Amino acid sequence: MIGLVALNGTGRLLADEIHAAWPETTRVHTAVASACFGPPEALEYALGRDDLVVCLAPVATTVRLLIDGSHLRPGGPGLVSLDLNLRYAVPLTGRDSGADELAEELAALLGVRAVLTSSPPPATAPPFAHLAGHASTSTRGPRGSAAVRALAEGRPVRLESDLAYPLPALPPSARPDAPADAPVLRVTDRTHPDEDVLLVHPRTLVVGVGAGGGATDSELMRLITDALAEHGLARASVARLATVAGKADHPEVRWAAFCLGGVPVDEHPAAALAAVAVPNPSDRVGAAVGTASVAEAAALASAPGGELVAAKRKSAAATVAIARAAVRGRLAVVGLGPGAHDLLVPRALAELRRASAVVGAPGAVEAVAELLRPGTRRIATRRISTDDGAGAAAGASVDLAVDAAVDLAAHGHAVALVALGDGAALNVPPGAYDVHRVPGLPLHPLAPDTPAHPQGAPA
């Protein structure tokens, strides 16, 4: 997750603009000067909870907030200073923190200049900063480290995955058909402690929790840790906590959310949880809170279409269960406007960088080719008439781009379906994927010196 630290009202407006472009991977922390959450506290809070942090202030201001050096630590989050006049994005931590790549992403989004002051990237720099908020990485053994080096150097790495996850593009040298003796990159929400691989953990798990008034310090977090370990599930894959309404502010629930990296906490009314079928209901719990299950029901309620992968586990005053959310693809329908990069809306650029595959007519795909991440699949298709054998009614035509994009998204991939113009003509059917529409400018906008109303026409 990327934390956006706003120190004043102007910073908050800029933070909101960035969050609108990157809604899934950012959250805003706003300083309140008159309270106990002033600028130093807001920055410290973000550095303690987020993978990457953007301080919306000049470099000098950001450095003053860090003057004692206590907030930055080796291996900690990357930090970028973004000045409010939108001139520079300056990384303040090393290249291996992901700050340089974040500064370049901000430059692409906002048109600022990324001022990179670190040394050239070492051969072992892991190219995964763009996965922040979507997944995390970890290495197992020397071959796991070898996979990191191979990716940085463009050598083959064998890609293995439990399922297709809607992640952004992975490095192009990670391929399922890599040689059998190549190091392995595995996309999974499991730990695989005995295997010598590089792991990418997507955020697929929901932990349902219940905590009573007698829960002791860290009791709930210990229970979560034990449940994850018992079932071989990766702590880094926990996306959120879920509980019954009124419990999100319980000290143990808040502490668990903090320990898991500041994950959000969903609350569900007791009546809604009572309607969820669970394997281990409790009449005693039902009499006390109005639902026969809290942990199992809440986990399933926050993982629609998913399954319970760790049944209820109890301590004296806490309960935990874990569900895996159903993997849904992601289909962004993006209008590219007339095709010039400076006429592309910011959210469209974010979607292009978010996708692992971009599908569209040849001209549309070519127009954005240089904006895509390395490793992004480019699929150029065409519209065919029924004379080409599509099997539709006479006189009809079939848009192969829509078919190809829908097929990829239905199999769990992150796809951008692109077209020149506003994209309004791209109609996609509902399916096992989430649709995000980003309208573009019209294909033929008014020329700069063309009046909005022709002479003599009513205004």
Side-chain angles (χ1 to χ4, degrees):
M1 187 62 68
I2 302 171
L4 307 173
V5 181
L7 307 184
N8 53 35
T10 304
R12 179 57 193 255
L13 291 174
L14 181 55
D16 289 342
E17 179 182 346
I18 299 172
H19 178 65
W22 299 340
E24 295 180 316
T25 57
T26 59
R27 55 185 167 195
V28 179
H29 309 289
T30 304
V32 182
S34 60
C36 60
F37 195 70
E41 292 80 13
L43 183 56
E44 181 178 10
Y45 184 87
L47 289 170
R49 286 157 178 79
D50 296 318
D51 305 303
L52 296 163
V53 176
V54 179
C55 185
L56 302 167
V59 171
T61 300
T62 305
V63 171
R64 278 199 300 271
L65 296 177
L66 300 168
I67 198 65
D68 61 1
S70 61
H71 306 311
L72 294 179
R73 61 190 186 281
L79 175 63
V80 174
S81 176
L82 176 64
D83 79 284
L84 299 180
N85 292 321
L86 292 181
R87 295 173 299 178
Y88 306 111
V90 184
L92 298 180
T93 51
R95 180 181 291 273
D96 58 355
S97 70
D100 280 12
E101 185 173 351
L102 177 57
E104 291 173 328
E105 291 293 321
L106 289 167
L109 176 68
L110 301 171
V112 301
R113 179 180 178 184
V115 182
L116 307 183
T117 58
S118 58
S119 58
T124 56
F128 295 123
H130 68 286
L131 296 181
H134 305 291
S136 61
T137 61
S138 63
T139 57
R140 298 291 183 189
R143 282 182 62 79
S145 299
V148 174
R149 291 193 298 272
L151 290 172
E153 296 167 3
R155 292 185 284 110
V157 171
R158 192 167 76 253
L159 175 63
E160 299 179 355
S161 181
D162 296 344
L163 292 170
Y165 295 97
L167 294 175
L170 294 173
S173 62
R175 307 191 315 270
D177 60 350
D181 60 349
V184 174
L185 184 159
R186 178 168 295 136
V187 182
T188 179
D189 58 11
R190 296 192 170 275
T191 53
H192 299 279
D194 300 325
E195 296 195 48
D196 197 357
V197 297
L198 169 63
L199 297 173
V200 173
H201 295 302
R203 304 195 189 283
T204 59
L205 303 177
V206 178
V207 179
V209 298
T216 59
D217 289 348
S218 302
E219 179 178 351
L220 179 60
M221 191 59 214
R222 285 196 300 270
L223 202 60
I224 293 173
T225 301
D226 291 345
L228 290 168
E230 178 183 337
H231 294 274
L233 299 170
R235 176 169 167 167
S237 285
V238 175
R240 60 206 319 108
L241 300 182
T243 189
V244 69
K247 288 292 186 178
D249 285 332
H250 189 289
E252 281 294 291
V253 176
R254 293 173 62 187
W255 175 246
F258 171 78
C259 291
L260 291 168
V263 297
V265 182
D266 296 340
E267 288 188 302
H268 300 280
L273 297 184
V276 178
V278 296
N280 301 293
S282 168
D283 293 337
R284 182 179 61 82
V285 172
V289 299
T291 173
S293 172
V294 173
E296 290 181 338
L300 289 169
S302 286
E307 60 178 347
L308 208 61
V309 292
K312 179 171 64 177
R313 185 186 186 101
K314 297 188 297 183
S315 65
T319 311
V320 164
I322 305 173
R324 177 184 289 117
V327 176
R328 289 178 61 84
R330 192 176 196 281
L331 179 53
V333 182
V334 182
L336 303 178
H341 293 170
D342 59 346
L343 295 179
L344 195 68
V345 300
R347 183 68 180 273
L349 177 61
E351 291 293 351
L352 294 172
R353 305 282 285 175
R354 170 71 176 81
S356 62
V358 172
V359 184
V365 174
E366 182 62 27
V368 298
E370 65 185 60
L371 301 177
L372 306 179
R373 294 188 185 281
T376 304
R377 294 172 61 188
R378 289 180 282 175
I379 304 172
T381 68
R382 61 192 179 94
R383 178 179 288 276
I384 63 173
S385 68
T386 54
D387 294 338
D388 293 324
S397 63
V398 176
D399 193 334
L400 296 183
V402 172
D403 290 347
V406 164
D407 184 64
L408 285 169
H411 284 85
H413 296 281
V415 185
L417 174 60
V418 299
L420 295 172
D422 59 12
L426 294 173
N427 296 312
V428 297
Y433 44 80
D434 299 320
V435 178
H436 302 262
R437 282 197 170 272
V438 184
L441 295 174
L443 186 58
H444 302 291
L446 293 174
D449 55 354
T450 301
H453 303 285
Q455 186 173 5

